[in-house]
Amino acid sequence: MTTEPEKRTGLVPRWARWTAVTSIVVFVVVPISTLVVWSFAFRWNFPNILPTEWGLRAWSYTASDSSRVLEGLWNSTRLALLVTGMAIVVGLPASRALGQHEFRGKSTVEWLLMMPIIVPALVATMGIHQIFIRLRLTETLFGVALVHLIPAIPYFVLVMASVFANYGTALEETARTLGANRYRVFRYVTLPAISSGLLVASMFTFLISWGQYVTTLLIGGGTFVTLPLVLFPFLSGGNNSTAAAISLVFVAPAIVVLVLTSRQLSRDSALMGGFGKL
Amino acid sequence: MTAVSLRHISRRFGDHVAVRDLNLDIESGEMVAFLGPSGCGKTTTLRMITGLIEPSSGDILFDGESVLSTPTERRGAVMVFQKHLLFPTMNVAQNVGFGLKMARVSREETAERVKEILELVDLPGLEDRKAHELSGGQQQRVALARALIVRPKVLLLDEPLANLDANLRITMRHLIRSIQKEMGITAIFVTHDQEEAVMLADRVALMFDGVLQQVGAPDEFFRTPRTTGVARFFRNGNFLRGHRRGSTIHTDVGPIEIVSTSETVEDGPSVLTVRPEEVRLVNEETDQENVVPAVVTSLIYMGSHTQLTVTIGDTPWQIQAPAAFQARNGDTVRLLLPRGHVSIVADDDTATTGSAEATLAEGSAVL
Ligand SMILES: Nc1ncnc2c1ncn2[C@@H]1O[C@H](COP(=O)(O)OP(=O)(O)OP(=O)(O)O)[C@@H](O)[C@H]1O
Ligand SMILES: [Mg+2]
C-alpha cells in the first residue's frame, strides 16, 4: 500500500503550524491573560466577564515584606543561578565525555543519567535528607542547590552531549597542533562553537530549579523559602488576585527563556540537528 | 638532515594493534606519502607524530631529539584534516591567523603574513569571508594557509583532497607540491590513492594492517615491489612461481632470466613478476630468451590499449596489449618477459589477501 505524500506549504506542514499556534494560545496566552486580569481585579463576581472593580491591591501586597514574595524571588534567583553554575561545572566535562568519547560503562552512565527522569526526584530526596541532616546541609542554599541538581543534571547533560557529539573533535585537534594549549582551545574554539547550545541547556537548568517545590520544601525545611513555596498557600486557598500576581512573577522567567531559546533555535540550525539526536 | 624519526613505534587500542613496530626517517624538506588501504593505521601514525595520541611503545624524534614529552601545542607538527576544516565562528583572516595569535605575534605582523600567505595559496583578498561562504576547494586552501603560516616543523596532511572533485584535486596536488618545495617544508601526506602518492611524494611509505611494507621512491613500487601484496596494491597481479638458481628462475613454462641483483637473494622457491604494461607479445618464430606461451581468456578494448587476460600454465596474467590487438579466447599467444623488467617478490599472499583483493577491485574500476 502506498500513501500520498503530505501536502506541504513551505517547510512545515499546515496542520503542524495550526497545532502549534492553537496550543500556544490555549496553554500560554489564555492562562496568562487571565492571570493578568485577575491580578488587577478588586471585585470580580460571577457572571461578569470582566472585574467590576480594578485595583493594585494584589500587587502592593506582593511587593510587601509580609508576603515574602521578594524574599522568595531573591532566593529562587540565586538558587537557580547556583544550580546552573554547578550544572555547567559538573555537566560540561561529563557531557563532553559522553558526546565525544567511547569508554567502558558508557551505556551504564547514560542509563544512570536517565534515572532521575524516570524515578521522581522526591524519592531520591527522601534518601538524601538523612545524609544532609548529618552533614548540616539542610536549610542551606548550597544543600537545596545540590538536591535541585538531581532533576536538572540529566537534561543539561543530554542536551550538551548531543551538542558535543555533533561538533566532534577535529577542530580542537587542529587548534592544538596550531599551538593552542588546552585552555586556549576551549576559550577560542570549543566555547564559541557550543555557546548557543550551552545557553539553551543553562536556561533549561535554570527553569528546572526555578520550578522545584517538594525538594526545596524537604531540604530547605520551610526556612529556605523560594517562590513556589510562597505561591503555594495562595493557590490552595485565599485571595485569587494575590495568587495571580505572584503566579505572574513566577512565570516571568519562563516566558523570557521561551522567547530567548526560540530565537536561538531558529538562528542556530546546527543545534536543532543536535536535538534531533536526542 | 633527518627532520622526523619514527623509531619502533607501535600503537594498540585495547587488543587491536593499529600500528606495529614502525621505523621511518624523514629528511628535512622531503614529502613522504603514507599510502595504504582504509584502516591500515595511517591516521594513527600522524596523530602519534602530532602528540594527539601517544605511541604504546617506541620513540619519535624531531631533529634528533625525542618529542614524546613535548605537548602537541609545542611540537610544531601541524595537522590538516580532511573534514571539519575551518573554525566556523571565525572569518578567513582569523582562521589563517590563528596559529600566530597563539604564538602571540603582533596584530600588524599577523595581518601582513595572512595577506602574504593568502596570495601564495591563490586566494588574495578573501580575509573577511566566513568559512561557509567559501567553496570546498577554497576552504581546503584556507586550511592549508592556516597550517603553512606557522612554518611547521612538519606538515601533516590527512587525506586533504579526498572531498574534492577530480579536477580540483589535480590543481590542489600541484599547488601543494609547489608550495611545499618552495617553502622547503617537511611534509607527510596520507592517502589511499596510489596515483596521488606517486605524483606528490618524494618517497612513498606503504602500510598494510599497521605494518610498513615498503618505503622508497615512487618508481621502486613499480619496478621492484618487495612483496606480492605491494605489487597488487600497485595494480600488478602477475605472478609466476619457480625455483631460483643464480640469475635464472626455472618455471613450469621454462627458464626465465633475471638481472642478477647485487643483494644476495638465496636460491630456492621464488615468485617473479612483470608489470602488465611491460609484458610484450611476440610472434611464433622468435628465438629470444624469456618467451613463454599463454592462453587468452579475455580481451577488453580500452581505447588507448587492449586489456588482455591470459593464463600462463594455470596462473592468470594481465597484459596491456596494443589497441589494435586481435585474438579469440583460447588462442595461444607468446609473451616476452623482458629481462630488465622481471623482479622477484616475496610471497605474502596469505597475509594480505583481503586488502590486496580490495585494492585490485578498486584498481580495475579505474582502469
Ligand atoms: N581511538 C581509537 N580507538 C580504537 N580503535 C582505533 C582508534 N583509532 C583508530 N583505531 C583503529 O586503528 C586502526 C587504524 O585506524 P586509522 O584511523 O589509523 O586508519 P587509516 O589508515 O587512517 O584509515 P582511513 O584510510 O580509513 O582513514 C583501525 O582499525 C581503527 O579502527
Ligand atoms: Mg585516516
Side-chain angles (χ1 to χ4, degrees), chain B residues 282-304:
Chain B
V282 288
N283 56 26
E284 300 291 327
E285 301 87 47
T286 185
D287 56 354
Q288 294 178 72
E289 59 176 20
N290 286 8
V291 172
V292 297
V295 178
V296 175
T297 56
S298 92
L299 205 107
I300 305 168
Y301 177 68
M302 307 287 289
S304 60

Side-chain angles (χ1 to χ4, degrees), chain B residues 3-4 22 29 46 59 117 123 181 187 205 285 317 350 352 362:
Chain B
V4 177
L22 189 145
L46 287 200
D59 200 359
I117 205 97
L123 287 179
K181 280 291 156 231
E285 301 87 47
W317 276 50
T350 41
T352 57
E362 211 174 283

Side-chain angles (χ1 to χ4, degrees), chain B residues 134-184:
Chain B
L134 300 174
S135 73
Q138 287 172 326
Q139 290 188 25
Q140 195 54 261
R141 279 188 258 185
V142 173
L144 189 64
R146 180 180 61 189
L148 290 169
I149 204 168
V150 299
R151 296 179 191 136
K153 263 215 186 78
V154 52
L155 175 65
L156 307 167
L157 303 154
D158 193 357
E159 307 202 35
L161 308 183
N163 277 357
L164 307 181
D165 70 46
N167 284 332
L168 199 52
R169 199 144 63 206
I170 290 167
T171 320
M172 283 298 293
R173 280 180 198 165
H174 289 299
L175 183 79
I176 290 175
R177 185 64 171 155
S178 66
I179 291 175
Q180 183 261 337
K181 280 291 156 231
E182 193 175 315
M183 295 180 73

Side-chain angles (χ1 to χ4, degrees), chain A residues 166-182 184-185 188-189 192-193, chain B residues 47 50 52 72-73 77-79 81 84-90 98-99 101-102 104 146-147:
Chain A
N166 260 24
Y167 154 72
T169 55
L171 283 175
E172 295 176 351
E173 295 187 335
T174 304
R176 288 292 305 281
T177 72
L178 284 166
N181 60 26
R182 282 171 201 281
R184 301 179 94 197
V185 168
Y188 293 112
V189 179
Chain B
R47 288 161 61 83
T50 61
L52 290 168
T72 302
E73 63 267 22
V78 179
M79 186 119 160
F81 290 93
H84 297 291
L85 290 167
L86 302 181
F87 302 129
T89 50
M90 304 181 196
F98 184 82
K101 182 174 177 180
M102 293 304 109
R104 301 183 201 279
R146 180 180 61 189

